[in-house]
Amino acid sequence: MKKVISLFVVAVLICTAMVGCSKSESVATDGSTSMSKVIESLSEAFAEDTGIEVTYNATGSGAGIEAVLAGRCDIGLSSRDLKDEEKSKGLEGTILAYDGIAIIVHPDNKVADLSIETIAKIYTGEITNWKDVGGADGEIVLIGREANSGTRDGFESITDTEDKCKYRQECTSTGDVITAVSSNPNAIGYASLASVKDSVKAVSVGGVAPSESTVKDGSYAVQRPFVLVTKKDTKLSKSAQEFFDYITSSEANEIISNAGVVPAN
């Protein structure tokens, strides 16, 4: 009987050790909702090659940066450059890719092109009717992202509209912006180019349509970086470092491109 109990205890200890190992063989990422497609594609490929699971918590760029600082994840995901105050806290940003921010309208909207200046006037309330920019008579409904969004930060920086936008609705994810615009013929919004669906229409900006090629050659003006955020003086776990090295290598470029964004390397 004692022998049976001893064998059982040994088995339990072995199982516990195995579970502990399996839990350590994972990588936690947290942040930008705009980066979901590219991170999920890279995570899937990495898991197939290594057996290491990568988790993704879509909380927004600001929350992802805070998660790194608090030690709640291995790698933060930000769809904007780190600010000086964030760098001063010991954070480091590595650009993974570049993404276009598409200016989106309802598919029935006949407006096909807007300049940066016009977009700024629309979002600050100087232009309030579609008929003033070549569209039908109708009040323009402004859709945007929440305050900590990297997409919002990128959009407002490029259009020089920080703290000036007259949003009707502030959404907490890229998908919510697309849904809001697709359900309102008078709406306008902005979203990661990689996430744009047929339910909305991306307009040209200054005569240049958003695409991987125009983001890559710099001719499409509304674009921003996708950034991997880590602690500068804190070593990543073996699994996290392996994932980081993989996604920043040329080996991952095809996966990044297939996700609709432009590899940085």
Side-chain angles (χ1 to χ4, degrees):
M1 183 68 177
K2 288 182 179 178
K3 187 175 182 180
V4 172
I5 293 173
S6 297
L7 288 172
F8 176 75
V9 170
V10 170
V12 169
L13 290 172
I14 291 172
C15 288
T16 301
M18 289 177 67
V19 169
C21 289
S22 66
K23 283 185 178 179
S24 66
E25 286 292 299
S26 64
V27 183
T29 68
D30 191 310
S32 171
T33 64
S34 299
M35 292 176 68
S36 61
K37 189 173 182 180
V38 66
I39 288 298
E40 287 169 356
S41 296
L42 289 167
S43 299
E44 183 178 348
F46 180 72
E48 287 177 0
D49 288 346
T50 65
I52 299 172
E53 179 190 9
V54 180
T55 62
Y56 164 57
N57 193 17
T59 58
S61 297
I65 291 167
E66 287 297 325
V68 177
L69 279 171
R72 294 194 301 271
C73 70
D74 297 299
I75 300 170
L77 308 171
S78 176
S79 51
R80 62 165 173 80
D81 286 320
L82 289 177
K83 299 174 182 178
D84 288 340
E85 59 263 33
E86 292 165 343
K87 293 178 182 178
S88 70
K89 294 177 182 177
L91 294 181
E92 184 174 36
T94 301
I95 297 177
L96 173 69
Y98 294 93
D99 176 53
I101 300 176
I103 309 304
I104 56 174
V105 297
H106 192 275
D108 293 340
N109 193 324
K110 64 181 182 180
V111 172
D113 181 79
L114 294 167
S115 68
I116 289 285
E117 182 183 6
T118 299
I119 294 167
K121 288 181 178 179
I122 287 173
Y123 268 88
T124 56
E126 189 174 339
I127 297 174
T128 59
N129 197 297
W130 282 111
K131 68 180 180 181
D132 296 325
V133 292
D137 185 8
E139 181 188 2
I140 301 174
V141 177
L142 304 178
I143 309 297
R145 288 291 305 277
E146 81 284 6
N148 286 329
S149 162
T151 310
R152 172 168 167 169
D153 184 88
F155 171 81
E156 292 184 355
S157 295
I158 292 164
T159 57
D160 194 24
T161 57
E162 296 96 329
D163 302 319
K164 302 174 187 175
C165 293
K166 310 295 185 182
Y167 295 113
R168 175 77 63 85
Q169 183 177 347
E170 297 180 34
C171 302
T172 57
S173 73
T174 297
D176 288 344
V177 172
I178 292 171
T179 298
V181 173
S182 68
S183 61
N184 189 331
N186 287 324
I188 186 171
Y190 49 80
S192 168
L193 177 59
S195 301
V196 172
K197 302 175 182 178
D198 291 339
S199 59
V200 294
K201 180 177 75 173
V203 302
S204 297
V205 177
V208 179
S211 69
E212 182 178 342
S213 61
T214 57
V215 170
K216 189 171 185 177
D217 66 22
S219 59
Y220 182 71
V222 194
Q223 59 172 281
R224 43 70 189 274
F226 277 173
V227 180
L228 305 175
V229 183
T230 54
K231 287 183 178 178
K232 191 172 184 178
D233 298 322
T234 302
K235 190 175 180 180
L236 290 171
S237 69
K238 182 180 177 182
S239 297
Q241 186 65 59
E242 191 174 346
F243 179 63
F244 186 94
D245 292 342
Y246 170 71
I247 65 178
T248 55
S249 71
S250 57
E251 184 182 353
N253 283 354
E254 184 177 354
I255 297 170
I256 293 172
S257 294
N258 288 340
V261 291
V262 180
N265 299 316

